[in-house]
Amino acid sequence: MHSPRPPQAGFTYIGLLVTVVIVGLMLTAASRVWSVSEQRERETQLLFVGDAIRMAIAAYFASGQQYPLSLQDLLADSRSPTPRRYLRRLYFDPITGAADWTLVPAPAGGIMGVASRSMLKPIKRTGFSQIDVGFENADCYCVWQFVFEPHYYNRRTAPASPHP
């Protein structure tokens, strides 16, 4: 014969289930925080890389009053007797993880800037530098166009050439 169970026989099992649910919820919250933190880091990298490419295009333009025909021209400019390098290497888009930039064409030919192909919504909405003020409240990273426009720099001091 079976002996009758005490009234608290399933209490440990229910306590274990509640603990598992709480740990699961905490892990879900931690993964969301980690994901947002990672996106912020890639966003910061995008701003840095995009600005580096914009400044390389500016230096290329300053040395010959024309835009580069491709990003490869920024690695080795053969218009002068000694090749000039405006970028050490072609950067990947930190958001997509590939070198799949959208090239912004210049009116007279060549490229005047780049933009990410990512359709993700940016975390950063305000607080951009003066040159990037157009990025505010953008719906996707694809709106963030890192463009060199000579008339913008003519109003201010032109960017310094990386080569003396």
Side-chain angles (χ1 to χ4, degrees):
M1 295 204 129
H2 295 311
S3 62
R5 287 187 171 171
Q8 54 205 354
F11 183 72
T12 304
Y13 181 68
I14 291 174
L16 184 62
L17 284 177
V18 168
T19 303
V20 168
V21 168
I22 290 172
V23 168
L25 291 173
M26 288 173 45
L27 287 174
T28 300
S31 70
R32 286 184 184 157
V33 168
W34 179 77
S35 176
V36 168
S37 175
E38 186 178 312
Q39 185 177 351
R40 279 189 197 278
E41 178 62 29
R42 286 191 313 238
E43 196 171 87
T44 302
Q45 290 174 355
L46 176 62
L47 289 167
F48 174 79
V49 168
D51 196 48
I53 293 173
R54 176 180 21 225
M55 292 299 102
I57 292 172
Y60 185 96
F61 187 89
S63 73
Q65 298 302 306
Q66 67 183 34
Y67 288 103
L69 298 176
S70 71
L71 292 177
Q72 294 292 335
D73 291 343
L74 300 174
L75 298 178
D77 180 7
S78 58
R79 297 178 297 170
S80 63
T82 26
R84 299 177 79 182
R85 299 182 193 333
Y86 303 103
L87 287 177
R88 291 182 184 203
R89 63 184 172 93
L90 288 181
Y91 294 107
F92 287 99
D93 177 350
I95 305 296
T96 64
D100 61 347
W101 297 100
T102 299
L103 303 178
V104 179
I111 57 169
M112 62 189 290
V114 295
S116 176
R117 290 186 186 269
S118 174
M119 300 302 286
L120 288 174
K121 186 174 183 177
I123 295 173
K124 185 172 183 173
R125 309 296 284 166
T126 60
F128 292 97
S129 63
Q130 180 68 29
I131 195 167
D132 294 333
V133 76
F135 297 176
E136 290 189 358
N137 300 315
D139 292 333
C140 68
Y141 290 113
C142 58
V143 175
W144 290 14
Q145 293 188 351
F146 300 93
V147 175
F148 168 70
E149 298 179 51
H151 68 273
Y152 179 84
Y153 288 97
N154 288 341
R155 294 183 305 195
R156 292 164 176 75
T157 58
S161 173
H163 304 284

